Amino acid sequence: MQDILKGLRIVEGSAFIAAPMCGMTLAQLGADVIRFDNIQGGVDYHRWPVNPDNHSFYWADLNKGKRSFAVDLKSERGRELVTALITVEGPEGGIFSTNLPAKGWLSYASLKSHREDLIQLAIIGDRHGGTALDYTVNAKVGFPNITGPDDDDRPVNHVLPAWDNIAAYMAALSILAAERHRRLTGEGQKVELSLTDCALATMGHLGFIGEMSINKEQRPRYGNHLYGALGRDFVSVDSKRMMIIAITPKQWSGLQRAGGFSAEVDTLETKLGLDFSAEGDRFIARTEICEIIERWTGSTRFEQIKTALDDNGCCWGPYQSVRELVENDIDVSEDNPIFSMVEQPHLGTYLVPGQPMSFSATERRPANPAPRLGQHTNEILADLLGLSDHEIGKLHDQGVVAG
Amino acid sequence: MQDILKGLRIVEGSAFIAAPMCGMTLAQLGADVIRFDNIQGGVDYHRWPVNPDNHSFYWADLNKGKRSFAVDLKSERGRELVTALITVEGPEGGIFSTNLPAKGWLSYASLKSHREDLIQLAIIGDRHGGTALDYTVNAKVGFPNITGPDDDDRPVNHVLPAWDNIAAYMAALSILAAERHRRLTGEGQKVELSLTDCALATMGHLGFIGEMSINKEQRPRYGNHLYGALGRDFVSVDSKRMMIIAITPKQWSGLQRAGGFSAEVDTLETKLGLDFSAEGDRFIARTEICEIIERWTGSTRFEQIKTALDDNGCCWGPYQSVRELVENDIDVSEDNPIFSMVEQPHLGTYLVPGQPMSFSATERRPANPAPRLGQHTNEILADLLGLSDHEIGKLHDQGVVAG
């Protein structure tokens, strides 16, 4: 928790990853983020992983630090309240972030009629109005075909929902860009971000489209090799696996010193007529170079390899399981300032991250937990919408709000 | 190209993906981003993919829309010029983004002595000061162990450098947050972002750390199954592969209608004593449910499956190769407003993306190309540092600058 975005308020109507993660990020940077949900919770309220009582780690971890407003979104009065919340006066408010269908009462046009300088960020599936999820987008852009062992041609889906994560931070960036514009000009706007376009743009930004368009070559599967330089996984004689990389000249000379195989490499370079100071030539000779590295790692104990790599400034890292990461890695403990032990509602106390960026102008405090569903309904109705205890009580009695 | 961040200037000393992509993103949103490089180019100047003349698509695509300043960074005078550029007066400047070692003359303390309200964003490998790249970070957090076919226990590296991409947008977000803070308070600051912490925080945000800490269960490999609900790849009788997903109740009922297998599913549900309206129960019965879906897809032509899925509002998408994506997909063409044909220096004209977010307050214009190395050296020296033609000529003669 850091206070760098203090004074910003975002109302969020969201589900799943991209939109909630956008809001959670802004909340952990000090914005007041209010997520509204139906009284029984949104479609993501029990998304796995869950605990034995079906309470969701996924939901809790993606909604840390927000305030929760529980309301019957099917009722006229409930919709009026959410509209009022989104469009309440004041320079800090008037920002609505959503991946719900922004139609009817939630459309930009409708909400804008209540507040002229509204900023509305809509995350959509694709530009045609279709549904798209991380996994369908990943299939579309072609990564499953070029991921996995090169002796197996089955497509490999990713486990990290990378596109959702990327979209989340693009969305947060868009909100700050639009808020900056509003601060400078007074003008609000609608910002639209499609998950599919996030992925398509990335394919261009990383050179895949240019390479295909100009070179006309389809990049094949390279197994665990890093593309275009030298890097792969290796196993020590005591069966520890590590990723070893040499992209820069410094990393390459360091690696040769670490393994003591410069002479062997020189012989290979001469034999193949290549120039290993060029990263591309190292990639061309990757099989042969990796055999040399493998003879070293495969006959050496992990601790000895580690020392040699570290002493020579190499770029490398061991493979871990998630269990090893969570149970043994000092970087996933309170030794790392981004983490703190937090009691999450319904789930218990465990290690929870704040945002990784550290702002020197603000102090880092422990992460805030996720809200219980509707935890802040009453304070929001009173403080932001100015409702009396009596009016709030009536809304509860009528089943319009809960919490 | 959109003008939403007009009036912002960032000086960048960078290489590889995260820092350049951060700057490229801001440049495509209208900021003036000046990348400085050594006269012969940085360590990433020939990073693959390259064309037959060793010009890099990777470099060009990650530096679109920036201005390039080529300077001898080893010379005293060159360092003075870069320092002056970073700390030149005016509200629009004084922002430095880097993943170079921010030591000595490039340290925050040193640069701050030239401009008190400097914002410096430093992307680092890990919090201990060590080197880390996307691929070592991915090995550390455990994804390779749980990615890939469940009948093969070899770790699978990802091809998309997801952590670099995520860090890039977190970095851009950090710059806007720090600039907002400076605008409101007049105060600059140092922001530090570690690639490793980006990944560790994500493991928490997505529920992996909570799940492991509380449930004490190591999630195994699930092959191409989506975790916790229903989703996998299926192949039609005419050998087209598609990802089909049912996370929400609506997607699940749509899928049953599309395939006409509600009765079969009901029988299975009763037999197993599960409640398929709960996404978790669908995941528990994934093998059996997928067999039912497979009998349908495996005996039906792709066009027919497509129609049925679309007509029933299902969430699905076909797998494509990168070639199919680039050569046949209408979303990767000028039909999609994020793309335009751009002549990239040394490489030729190809389809280049702008940023996926659309701001209604600004117009979208075609993407700007990458600069040639040093293309803007002279105009920067003249306009920003106020040097005369004579002084600029002398700097060229002395080999301090180029372009």
Side-chain angles (χ1 to χ4, degrees):
Chain A
M1 172 64 198
Q2 297 165 80
D3 266 345
I4 196 76
L5 294 181
K6 213 175 163 177
L8 203 66
R9 190 191 317 120
I10 292 107
V11 176
E12 178 185 296
S14 70
F16 301 119
I17 297 180
M21 184 176 259
C22 163
M24 185 271 291
T25 303
L26 298 172
Q28 289 201 323
L29 297 179
D32 175 19
V33 179
I34 299 172
R35 173 169 167 161
F36 64 82
D37 274 296
N38 260 312
I39 287 170
Q40 69 280 16
V43 287
D44 58 345
Y45 192 54
H46 296 291
R47 185 88 180 85
W48 281 31
V50 292
N51 76 357
D53 297 329
N54 206 30
H55 289 292
S56 170
F57 293 102
Y58 174 103
W59 194 92
D61 286 322
L62 285 168
N63 291 289
K64 296 186 293 280
K66 296 181 192 172
R67 296 203 282 171
S68 173
F69 183 67
V71 56
D72 176 4
L73 292 169
K74 294 230 163 109
S75 75
E76 197 57 42
R77 186 70 184 116
R79 293 177 173 191
E80 280 170 18
L81 290 171
V82 171
T83 301
L85 195 55
I86 292 171
T87 60
V88 68
E89 279 177 34
E92 68 285 351
I95 306 178
F96 177 40
S97 170
T98 192
N99 69 328
L100 306 178
K103 290 185 287 198
W105 67 285
L106 279 182
S107 71
Y108 175 61
S110 167
L111 292 170
K112 197 189 174 200
S113 73
H114 297 272
R115 180 166 171 158
E116 176 60 27
D117 69 349
L118 177 73
I119 293 168
Q120 177 159 340
L121 170 82
I123 301 179
I124 60 173
D126 69 41
R127 68 191 176 104
H128 311 289
T131 308
L133 293 180
D134 185 277
Y135 312 91
T136 61
V137 167
N138 200 47
K140 178 183 177 83
V141 298
F143 279 113
N145 279 5
I146 52 175
T147 300
D150 54 8
D151 56 12
D152 186 339
D153 66 0
R154 289 176 291 178
V156 174
N157 288 353
H158 61 193
V159 175
L160 171 71
W163 304 117
D164 278 336
N165 279 261
I166 288 169
Y169 298 114
M170 283 196 175
L173 176 67
S174 303
I175 287 176
L176 290 199
E179 199 258 347
R180 180 177 181 277
H181 182 81
R182 185 172 73 179
R183 194 174 290 274
L184 295 174
T185 67
E187 186 186 19
Q189 63 185 304
K190 179 170 185 187
V191 189
E192 204 168 66
L193 175 65
S194 114
L195 184 68
T196 304
D197 282 348
C198 283
L200 297 176
T202 303
M203 296 305 285
H205 298 333
L206 294 176
F208 283 93
I209 294 176
E211 177 188 28
M212 188 70 233
S213 303
I214 302 291
N215 291 359
K216 308 281 181 202
E217 273 165 33
Q218 165 78 50
R219 201 185 290 187
R221 271 182 201 219
Y222 290 118
N224 280 348
H225 284 283
L226 175 153
Y227 176 68
L230 191 76
R232 217 198 62 190
D233 55 324
F234 296 91
V235 180
S236 68
V237 68
D238 48 344
S239 301
K240 295 243 204 268
R241 189 178 296 263
M242 66 215 99
M243 183 76 196
I244 300 179
I245 296 174
I247 298 185
T248 66
K250 209 178 127 203
Q251 288 164 359
W252 174 229
S253 60
L255 177 56
Q256 290 176 76
R257 278 198 311 277
F261 43 63
S262 311
E264 248 180 301
V265 163
D266 288 348
T267 308
L268 177 67
E269 194 173 14
T270 310
K271 187 182 134 200
L272 298 178
L274 293 169
D275 170 12
F276 289 165
S277 70
E279 61 194 287
D281 280 12
R282 296 201 290 279
F283 183 66
I284 292 167
R286 64 190 177 280
T287 309
E288 295 86 346
I289 296 176
C290 285
E291 277 168 13
I292 296 174
I293 302 173
E294 224 164 16
R295 278 199 291 277
W296 173 51
T297 55
S299 62
T300 311
R301 294 187 64 82
F302 176 74
E303 279 303 324
Q304 204 179 328
I305 298 171
K306 174 180 175 2
T307 304
L309 292 171
D310 284 342
D311 287 353
N312 287 285
C314 297
C315 182
W316 75 286
Y319 282 70
Q320 302 190 108
S321 66
V322 175
R323 180 182 292 279
E324 288 167 325
L325 175 77
V326 175
E327 295 187 348
N328 305 334
D329 193 323
I330 191 160
D331 291 336
V332 180
S333 77
E334 285 184 293
D335 186 68
N336 185 341
I338 74 167
F339 283 105
S340 45
M341 292 299 287
V342 172
E343 190 184 340
Q344 292 276 49
H346 312 298
L347 294 166
T349 300
Y350 58 89
L351 198 70
V352 160
Q355 288 306 311
M357 46 285 227
S358 286
F359 295 89
S360 70
T362 63
E363 215 182 323
R364 186 186 280 279
R365 298 198 306 279
N368 288 323
R372 281 177 291 100
L373 200 60
Q375 182 178 341
H376 307 93
T377 300
N378 289 358
E379 70 180 45
I380 288 166
L381 290 172
D383 299 346
L384 286 178
L385 300 186
L387 268 61
S388 68
D389 284 357
H390 175 72
E391 290 167 308
I392 294 172
K394 228 172 99 184
L395 289 171
H396 280 274
D397 293 344
Q398 294 166 338
V400 174
V401 301
Chain B
M1 173 62 199
Q2 297 166 81
D3 267 345
I4 196 77
L5 294 181
K6 215 176 161 174
L8 204 65
R9 190 190 317 118
I10 292 106
V11 177
E12 178 185 298
S14 71
F16 301 118
I17 298 179
M21 185 176 258
C22 164
M24 186 272 291
T25 303
L26 298 172
Q28 290 201 323
L29 297 179
D32 175 18
V33 179
I34 299 173
R35 174 168 167 161
F36 65 82
D37 274 296
N38 261 312
I39 286 170
Q40 69 281 16
V43 287
D44 57 345
Y45 192 52
H46 295 291
R47 185 90 179 86
W48 281 30
V50 292
N51 76 358
D53 297 330
N54 206 30
H55 288 293
S56 169
F57 293 102
Y58 174 102
W59 195 91
D61 286 322
L62 285 168
N63 291 291
K64 296 186 294 280
K66 296 180 191 174
R67 296 203 281 171
S68 172
F69 183 67
V71 56
D72 177 4
L73 292 169
K74 294 230 162 110
S75 75
E76 196 57 41
R77 186 72 182 117
R79 293 178 173 192
E80 280 169 18
L81 290 171
V82 171
T83 301
L85 194 55
I86 292 171
T87 60
V88 68
E89 279 178 34
E92 69 284 352
I95 306 180
F96 177 41
S97 171
T98 192
N99 68 327
L100 306 178
K103 288 185 286 196
W105 67 284
L106 279 182
S107 70
Y108 175 62
S110 166
L111 291 169
K112 197 189 173 200
S113 71
H114 296 271
R115 178 165 173 161
E116 175 61 27
D117 69 349
L118 177 74
I119 294 169
Q120 178 159 340
L121 170 82
I123 301 180
I124 60 173
D126 68 40
R127 68 190 176 105
H128 310 288
T131 308
L133 293 181
D134 184 277
Y135 313 91
T136 60
V137 167
N138 201 46
K140 178 182 176 85
V141 299
F143 279 113
N145 279 5
I146 52 175
T147 301
D150 54 9
D151 56 12
D152 185 339
D153 66 0
R154 290 175 291 178
V156 174
N157 288 355
H158 60 192
V159 175
L160 171 71
W163 304 117
D164 278 336
N165 279 261
I166 287 169
Y169 299 114
M170 282 196 175
L173 177 68
S174 302
I175 287 176
L176 290 199
E179 199 258 347
R180 180 177 181 278
H181 182 80
R182 186 171 73 178
R183 194 174 289 276
L184 295 174
T185 66
E187 186 187 19
Q189 63 184 305
K190 180 170 186 188
V191 189
E192 204 168 65
L193 176 64
S194 116
L195 184 68
T196 304
D197 281 347
C198 284
L200 298 176
T202 304
M203 295 306 284
H205 298 334
L206 293 176
F208 283 94
I209 295 177
E211 178 188 27
M212 188 70 233
S213 303
I214 302 291
N215 290 359
K216 308 279 182 203
E217 274 164 33
Q218 164 77 49
R219 204 186 287 187
R221 270 182 201 220
Y222 290 117
N224 280 348
H225 285 283
L226 175 153
Y227 176 70
L230 190 77
R232 214 198 66 190
D233 55 325
F234 296 91
V235 181
S236 68
V237 68
D238 48 343
S239 302
K240 295 244 203 267
R241 190 178 295 265
M242 65 215 100
M243 183 77 196
I244 300 178
I245 296 173
I247 298 186
T248 66
K250 208 178 127 205
Q251 288 164 0
W252 174 231
S253 60
L255 177 57
Q256 291 178 74
R257 278 197 312 276
F261 43 63
S262 310
E264 247 181 302
V265 163
D266 288 348
T267 308
L268 177 67
E269 195 174 14
T270 310
K271 187 183 131 199
L272 297 177
L274 294 169
D275 170 12
F276 289 165
S277 70
E279 60 193 287
D281 280 12
R282 296 200 289 280
F283 183 67
I284 292 167
R286 65 193 175 278
T287 309
E288 294 87 345
I289 296 175
C290 285
E291 277 168 15
I292 295 174
I293 302 173
E294 222 162 20
R295 278 199 291 277
W296 172 52
T297 56
S299 61
T300 312
R301 293 186 65 83
F302 176 74
E303 280 304 324
Q304 205 179 327
I305 297 171
K306 174 180 174 6
T307 305
L309 292 171
D310 284 341
D311 287 353
N312 287 285
C314 298
C315 181
W316 76 285
Y319 282 69
Q320 301 189 114
S321 66
V322 175
R323 181 182 293 279
E324 289 167 323
L325 175 77
V326 175
E327 296 187 348
N328 305 334
D329 194 322
I330 191 159
D331 291 336
V332 180
S333 79
E334 286 185 293
D335 186 69
N336 186 341
I338 73 166
F339 284 105
S340 44
M341 292 299 287
V342 172
E343 190 185 339
Q344 292 275 50
H346 312 298
L347 294 167
T349 300
Y350 58 88
L351 199 71
V352 160
Q355 288 305 312
M357 46 285 228
S358 287
F359 295 89
S360 70
T362 63
E363 217 182 320
R364 186 186 280 278
R365 297 197 307 278
N368 289 322
R372 282 177 291 99
L373 202 60
Q375 181 179 341
H376 307 92
T377 300
N378 289 0
E379 70 180 46
I380 288 166
L381 290 172
D383 299 346
L384 286 179
L385 300 187
L387 268 61
S388 69
D389 284 357
H390 175 73
E391 290 168 307
I392 294 172
K394 229 172 96 184
L395 289 172
H396 279 274
D397 294 344
Q398 295 166 338
V400 173
V401 301

